[in-house]
Amino acid sequence: MESSSRTRIRKHKAEDSGNKDDKLIKKAYDVIDFLDKNRRLLSAADDTLVDLIRPGVSDIVKEVFRPRAMGVLSLRFPVDGDQKTREATESVNDELDLLLKDYQKRLEYANAIPPPSVYARNSVWVDWQQKSAAILCFRPSNKRGLPLCVLDNVFREFQRQVKTPLPSTPDARKAMNAAFDLCHAMPNDFDIESDRGKVFDKCLDPILPLLSWRSEVRIEAPTELRTGQAGRTYEPNGVVLILREDKLETGTGDDVYMQVSRVYQLYVEKVRGKDSSLLEQGVPVFLLCVLGPMLLICGGFHDGKSTIVEPLVEPCLMFGDCLHVRQEALAGQLFALKQALDTLRSRSRSDRATANPHPAGVPRVYTTYTTEDNTGRSLTFLRPLEESQPQYLLFITAEDPPDSSTHKLVKLVGKGYGVRAHRLLAERQVAPVLYGQSSLEGAPTAYIMEYLSPPTDSQSGWVTLFEFLKSKDLATRYSHLIGTALTRILMMMEEAKVVHGDLRPNNVMLEVNSDKTPVCSGEEQKVNLKVVDFDWAGQSGEVCYPLQRNEDITWPGDAGTPIIVGHDQLMVKDWWFKQFT
């Protein structure tokens, strides 16, 4: 344990070397000395400034750095009085100018994002993860980006391969041998962190050659004031493919996951200043956390705006068991990792140079989709539907050329989707047109549909019924027309024996004019409604409510039970009654 502490201290020093500015402290001492020796002369110029300035300078001597001290250090003595007084005030003002300039730099440094080994402390990352520079790594839970499987095919293929049985190939046999070696060696006790890391490297040598690993790699980025250090990097041909952090045992050191996440963030900033083509590709890197006998394989990606880190698989305990279950699970992860690294290595600089620019916050693996008649169409992602919430997996896209007339909405769905129910209602013009889908193994299915754009000052558009009903006046005035349209939709669904399951006001769109009043058409002055979000929809009795849902809502059926004809009507009646009584 003592040796592990020495390792951490050495790492902190390596990352923070050059941080302590002795010149600043010495300059502050000199200013205090000058203030004390010339108090009488300076008091003649301004008898209050000495007592105001001295405490601020004393804080610098104590290495207490406060932004408010900038105001105190900006104070200057008036240059007047006799010659000696003028000379004294000019001298102290010059010294304060130099001290202020150095203090400003030091303050910027003190408030810069901490190096990885410091960021890993719970008291540190908790604070920094609330700021604009937060890493989207699920800590805290609202700091998450798009799934890595929709950002780069290398992560999608890795996760797909992990779920696939190992093939009978030389690489698979090497991965199995490495897994057995790791399960034999890693449960053992090690004196120091670096010893565990060296044994881990040796066990992996059949698939990740020892010569390609580097230890204690310093990372400097032109955009960051702090430098950092990666515990280990895997760099075949000089290209970083893996960033790794090791901890001696669980409970020793700080959060290894947050540490490797910060290492990756720092590495992205280093790439930003050196390789714009790699930055455009997203700087895909695998991140490994070795915590005693446990291995966690993660991925890192930069989407042009945010640094995203995600665990790609479940943590693997490197314990050998008699049935070889854990060994085989570990071998599957190692084989998938080897395949993914080979893919990254095969990406040449020319591939990077021809990479198309991508907007931030959008998927990158979907480039085409297939229509209902099996025609292939291009797909260009423009932006998330809600810029602040891309994790909702709704995006605005276009076909080539990407003009506003071809804008469509793409919804990513990880599980089932009520395609038949959606098409049925779309054919009757009470749901958006469903144009087609893009299916990639290991990624959510992308459903491409009509984009119901919001109203503008000059033309009509669509809002959710939830938003419209917030205006009590409009809601009351048009309640009869809206109720009639809802009843018509429910009758269509019951006749076809299809169910929606979540027919709340936020899943019904209403067409409105620029003045927010509903668009009415025909002699009967009908309003236009369209149902959206068919995630639970399907044939009555064949689809079920999900096990996880918002239980604050009154649902017609229990979680996990079938959704049947009549449930949608019960749900609409429930919220309609609450709205208008």
Side-chain angles (χ1 to χ4, degrees), residues 10 38 86 111 138 171 188 208 217 270 322 337 343 354 405 417 444 469 473 510 524 541 558 567:
R10 187 173 67 250
N38 295 277
R86 287 199 303 273
N111 292 321
F138 301 91
D171 277 348
N188 298 329
L208 304 180
V217 179
K270 177 183 177 181
C322 296
L337 179 63
T343 298
T354 57
S405 65
Y417 188 76
L469 294 177
D473 176 56
L510 170 68
E524 300 178 15
D558 293 332
H567 280 190

Side-chain angles (χ1 to χ4, degrees), residues 220-223 237-241 264 266-285 302 304 344 347-355 364:
E220 297 183 54
T223 57
N237 302 326
V239 179
V240 175
L241 302 182
Y264 175 68
L266 195 57
Y267 176 66
V268 168
E269 293 307 308
K270 177 183 177 181
V271 169
R272 188 188 300 278
K274 290 188 174 183
D275 192 340
S276 59
S277 60
L278 180 57
L279 187 70
E280 181 55 50
Q281 276 199 333
V283 199
V285 173
H302 186 76
L344 287 179
R347 293 179 179 176
S348 65
R349 285 192 170 272
S350 60
D351 292 333
R352 290 192 227 150
T354 57
R364 301 191 181 193

Side-chain angles (χ1 to χ4, degrees), residues 37-222:
K37 287 182 179 179
N38 295 277
R39 176 179 282 273
R40 184 180 60 80
L41 289 171
L42 296 172
S43 295
D46 190 321
D47 59 357
T48 61
L49 278 183
V50 174
D51 292 332
L52 285 172
I53 292 173
R54 195 183 190 287
V57 180
S58 296
D59 279 348
I60 297 176
V61 171
K62 298 172 188 174
E63 298 189 62
V64 177
F65 304 109
R66 298 189 180 100
R68 65 188 181 193
M70 294 287 291
V72 175
L73 295 178
S74 298
L75 298 172
R76 295 295 177 267
F77 288 90
V79 181
D80 54 21
D82 58 30
Q83 185 176 350
K84 283 189 175 181
T85 302
R86 287 199 303 273
E87 289 175 354
T89 54
E90 285 176 352
S91 295
V92 76
N93 285 346
D94 289 344
E95 290 299 317
L96 286 170
D97 285 343
L98 295 173
L99 183 63
L100 178 64
K101 186 176 180 181
D102 290 346
Y103 182 73
Q104 191 168 10
K105 291 179 182 178
R106 180 63 184 273
L107 195 62
E108 289 174 359
Y109 186 87
N111 292 321
I113 308 178
S117 61
V118 177
Y119 200 92
R121 298 171 188 165
N122 187 69
S123 60
V124 175
W125 71 255
V126 166
D127 178 48
W128 276 94
Q129 285 293 100
Q130 301 301 327
K131 301 182 181 181
S132 59
I135 306 163
L136 302 185
C137 63
F138 301 91
R139 302 204 73 187
S141 59
N142 65 324
K143 299 297 180 183
R144 62 185 188 273
L146 289 178
L148 293 187
C149 64
V150 306
L151 290 171
D152 195 304
N153 280 315
V154 75
F155 299 122
R156 179 177 67 84
E157 285 295 332
F158 170 84
Q159 291 181 312
R160 184 196 63 78
Q161 181 60 58
V162 167
K163 298 173 183 176
T164 305
L166 280 176
S168 298
T169 63
D171 277 348
R173 289 194 293 274
K174 290 176 182 177
M176 187 66 76
N177 290 336
F180 271 79
D181 289 344
L182 285 168
C183 288
H184 176 73
M186 298 310 284
N188 298 329
D189 177 58
F190 293 87
D191 291 331
I192 57 175
E193 209 170 81
S194 59
D195 285 350
R196 180 178 286 282
K198 289 173 184 176
V199 171
F200 186 85
D201 292 345
K202 186 176 180 181
C203 292
L204 283 183
D205 185 47
I207 55 173
L208 304 180
L210 270 170
L211 293 176
S212 294
W213 288 100
R214 293 177 61 205
S215 300
E216 298 183 355
V217 179
R218 192 174 184 81
I219 302 176
E220 297 183 54

Side-chain angles (χ1 to χ4, degrees), residues 136-429:
L136 302 185
C137 63
F138 301 91
R139 302 204 73 187
S141 59
N142 65 324
K143 299 297 180 183
R144 62 185 188 273
L146 289 178
L148 293 187
C149 64
V150 306
L151 290 171
D152 195 304
N153 280 315
V154 75
F155 299 122
R156 179 177 67 84
E157 285 295 332
F158 170 84
Q159 291 181 312
R160 184 196 63 78
Q161 181 60 58
V162 167
K163 298 173 183 176
T164 305
L166 280 176
S168 298
T169 63
D171 277 348
R173 289 194 293 274
K174 290 176 182 177
M176 187 66 76
N177 290 336
F180 271 79
D181 289 344
L182 285 168
C183 288
H184 176 73
M186 298 310 284
N188 298 329
D189 177 58
F190 293 87
D191 291 331
I192 57 175
E193 209 170 81
S194 59
D195 285 350
R196 180 178 286 282
K198 289 173 184 176
V199 171
F200 186 85
D201 292 345
K202 186 176 180 181
C203 292
L204 283 183
D205 185 47
I207 55 173
L208 304 180
L210 270 170
L211 293 176
S212 294
W213 288 100
R214 293 177 61 205
S215 300
E216 298 183 355
V217 179
R218 192 174 184 81
I219 302 176
E220 297 183 54
T223 57
E224 297 225 17
L225 293 173
R226 305 267 191 170
T227 61
Q229 182 174 290
R232 273 173 167 70
T233 61
Y234 181 69
E235 304 183 28
N237 302 326
V239 179
V240 175
L241 302 182
I242 294 176
L243 296 168
R244 195 179 101 213
E245 290 295 332
D246 302 341
K247 296 295 179 187
L248 186 62
E249 292 288 349
T250 55
T252 61
D254 299 302
D255 191 321
V256 66
Y257 175 67
M258 295 307 296
Q259 184 165 335
V260 80
S261 297
R262 173 65 180 130
V263 168
Y264 175 68
Q265 185 185 47
L266 195 57
Y267 176 66
V268 168
E269 293 307 308
K270 177 183 177 181
V271 169
R272 188 188 300 278
K274 290 188 174 183
D275 192 340
S276 59
S277 60
L278 180 57
L279 187 70
E280 181 55 50
Q281 276 199 333
V283 199
V285 173
F286 282 86
L287 314 176
L288 270 56
C289 302
V290 177
L291 183 59
M294 186 181 74
L295 171 66
L296 176 63
I297 300 177
C298 310
F301 193 88
H302 186 76
D303 74 348
K305 179 182 178 181
S306 302
T307 299
I308 302 170
V309 173
E310 176 190 333
L312 297 172
V313 285
E314 293 296 318
C316 197
L317 278 172
M318 295 178 280
F319 292 159
D321 64 89
C322 296
L323 298 177
H324 300 167
V325 173
R326 280 188 286 269
Q327 293 95 318
E328 290 175 7
L330 177 58
Q333 292 189 15
L334 295 178
F335 176 75
L337 179 63
K338 175 65 167 61
Q339 300 299 108
L341 295 178
D342 288 346
T343 298
L344 287 179
R345 288 181 65 182
S346 68
R347 293 179 179 176
S348 65
R349 285 192 170 272
S350 60
D351 292 333
R352 290 192 227 150
T354 57
N356 294 321
H358 296 273
V362 301
R364 301 191 181 193
V365 300
Y366 308 97
T367 56
T368 61
Y369 74 96
T370 304
T371 63
E372 190 176 11
D373 61 1
N374 288 323
T375 302
R377 296 282 180 85
S378 66
L379 201 58
T380 301
F381 282 79
L382 303 178
R383 60 177 175 84
L385 178 63
E386 298 289 340
E387 294 284 356
S388 60
Q389 297 171 325
Q391 65 268 30
Y392 286 168
L393 304 183
L394 293 166
F395 307 91
I396 304 300
T397 63
E399 295 181 19
D400 290 331
D403 60 75
S404 58
S405 65
T406 65
H407 284 190
K408 295 177 173 59
L409 180 76
V410 171
K411 179 182 177 72
L412 301 188
V413 180
K415 295 184 179 178
Y417 188 76
V419 173
R420 180 179 176 275
H422 189 153
R423 290 198 189 282
L424 176 76
L425 294 191
E427 287 168 3
R428 304 184 185 189
Q429 299 183 337

Side-chain angles (χ1 to χ4, degrees), residues 457-511:
D457 292 337
S458 59
Q459 64 183 44
S460 64
W462 297 81
V463 298
T464 65
L465 203 51
F466 177 80
E467 284 297 318
F468 179 81
L469 294 177
K470 287 181 179 179
S471 170
K472 291 185 178 179
D473 176 56
L474 289 174
T476 303
R477 199 187 328 166
Y478 292 95
S479 62
H480 176 69
L481 293 178
I482 293 171
T484 301
L486 282 170
T487 300
R488 187 167 64 250
I489 291 172
L490 288 167
M491 288 175 64
M492 289 178 191
M493 294 171 63
E494 290 189 8
E495 183 182 343
K497 292 184 170 51
V498 299
V499 291
H500 185 278
D502 192 12
L503 208 55
R504 292 178 289 149
N506 55 314
N507 288 330
V508 179
M509 305 293 288
L510 170 68
E511 189 177 15

